[in-house]
Amino acid sequence: MAQAAAVAKPPAPPRRRRASATPRRLPYLLIAPAALLMLGFIAYPVLSVFYYSLRDYNPTKPWRNGFAGLDNFTRIFTEDPLFRDTLVFSAKWVFVEVGLQLLFGLALALIVNQTFAGRALGRALVFSPWAVSGVLTSAIWVLLYNSQTGVTRYLADMGIGEYGVSWLSDTSTVFPAAIVADLWRGVPFFAILILADLQSVSKDLYEAAEVDGAGRFKQFWHITLPHLKDAIILSTLLRAVWEFNNVDLLYTLTGGGPAGSTTTLPLYIANTSVDAHDFGYASALTTVAFVILLFCSMVYLRLSKFGGEK
């Protein structure tokens, strides 16, 4: 019996070899150097700004440097009228620029999405301003707005306006002039993103809509716009953040003038740190701007229901 039981006993299953943990960790090890570099280049400046926002730091007046606590933030909200003025202008600038860029960008994307002769060349011309840097863009438009050799000179030759008029030196015309200059560069951004999303819309939807008797406007309203919802939300959010932080174009084009009428909050921060060397107060302004952008972005994404059903 004992011998039969021994024969009937099934053999023990073979022991599984433990899988090496190295293959699973290899992707993380490969991206670790780049991740550490990105963390260093991003985390260190952010933490430095938060640190200096709590200090009085002016390299030209080292005897005044030291811990300030919340004094810089108290000064921002109670003693600095320029903060309120620049914040209001920044909001105005972002609202007008992003709204117009979205409108014209959507129109251009719809146009170049059609089939016509020379479409490739048309797309290249539409998208080319986006490849131009902000400083070069402002340099181009400074020449165009020059009172002696620019657009106003040719308009005066045709009897429109007067000679010697500078649109960038007049508080009543500097804002529209700056808007047009930034529109020239910003519209292609929306056109590129929206056109890329338009390529994925199924033509069967439009054919079915035509069979049901839907016109061009109804097709646009009920098919195109719902499909572009997430692309529009994302592009407007990104562009709003970039326009809020716009320094290069306005600094080169107007320098914040005339009489500070085109000074945005980031431009005010740049002037405070670079020109006045008050890095502690500029860091506090940057911290406030960061909180404002973060809060507005969260509210915008929540209200727009980004990523939800179309």
Side-chain angles (χ1 to χ4, degrees):
M1 296 291 294
Q3 183 178 3
V7 173
K9 185 177 180 181
R15 297 181 61 185
R16 294 184 178 180
R17 300 179 61 183
R18 294 184 60 185
S20 176
T22 302
R24 290 180 297 176
R25 296 177 181 174
L26 183 60
Y28 301 100
L29 293 176
L30 292 176
I31 66 173
L36 291 175
L37 285 175
M38 290 182 62
L39 184 63
F41 282 108
I42 295 175
Y44 177 74
V46 171
L47 295 177
S48 297
V49 168
F50 291 154
Y51 170 75
Y52 285 110
S53 67
L54 301 175
R55 298 180 60 85
D56 288 325
Y57 183 70
N58 189 331
T60 63
K61 300 176 182 178
W63 59 88
R64 294 185 179 180
N65 296 343
F67 182 73
L70 298 177
D71 290 349
N72 288 327
F73 296 96
T74 303
R75 176 183 166 190
I76 290 174
F77 294 107
T78 61
E79 303 176 12
D80 190 357
L82 289 178
F83 167 75
R84 294 186 292 272
D85 294 342
T86 56
L87 183 60
V88 170
F89 178 76
S90 297
K92 177 183 176 182
W93 172 264
V94 170
F95 181 79
V96 175
E97 273 292 346
V98 174
L100 292 177
Q101 288 178 20
L102 173 61
L103 181 64
F104 290 114
L106 177 60
L108 279 177
L110 293 173
I111 292 173
V112 297
N113 190 45
Q114 304 299 317
T115 301
F116 56 90
R119 183 174 67 171
L121 178 60
R123 288 181 174 181
L125 293 176
V126 168
F127 301 152
S128 58
W130 181 245
V132 182
S133 68
V135 174
L136 183 56
T137 298
S138 57
I140 294 172
W141 284 92
V142 164
L143 293 175
L144 289 174
Y145 289 145
N146 187 283
S147 59
Q148 302 299 323
T149 60
V151 176
T152 55
R153 169 64 183 273
Y154 292 101
L155 290 177
D157 290 340
M158 294 185 294
I160 304 174
E162 301 177 355
Y163 289 99
V165 175
S166 176
W167 290 344
L168 297 178
S169 301
D170 191 341
T171 55
S172 62
T173 58
V174 65
F175 181 71
I179 288 291
V180 171
D182 201 43
L183 277 178
W184 179 79
R185 181 170 178 253
V187 167
F189 170 77
F190 283 95
I192 293 170
L193 288 184
I194 294 174
L195 177 62
D197 208 29
L198 281 174
Q199 303 296 310
S200 62
V201 182
S202 176
K203 294 183 179 180
D204 295 339
L205 296 175
Y206 294 105
E207 293 176 357
E210 288 182 3
V211 171
D212 292 338
R216 288 292 184 91
F217 178 78
K218 287 187 177 181
Q219 292 179 26
F220 172 76
W221 188 260
H222 295 287
I223 298 177
T224 306
L225 272 186
H227 186 87
L228 296 176
K229 173 190 171 186
D230 286 347
I232 290 175
I233 293 174
L234 181 61
S235 58
T236 50
L237 177 61
L238 291 175
R239 195 60 187 160
V241 173
W242 293 341
E243 288 296 345
F244 183 87
N245 292 319
N246 191 330
V247 173
D248 52 357
L249 186 137
L250 284 175
Y251 182 81
T252 311
L253 195 65
T254 67
S261 59
T262 58
T263 303
T264 59
L265 181 57
L267 185 54
Y268 176 46
I269 294 172
N271 292 334
T272 302
S273 58
V274 178
D275 296 339
H277 305 289
D278 193 351
F279 291 97
Y281 189 62
S283 298
L285 288 169
T286 304
T287 302
V288 172
F290 171 77
V291 173
I292 292 174
L293 279 179
L294 180 62
F295 175 77
C296 292
S297 299
M298 293 173 61
V299 171
Y300 179 70
L301 290 176
R302 176 62 63 88
L303 294 179
S304 62
K305 299 179 180 179
F306 177 72
E309 295 183 1
K310 296 181 181 180

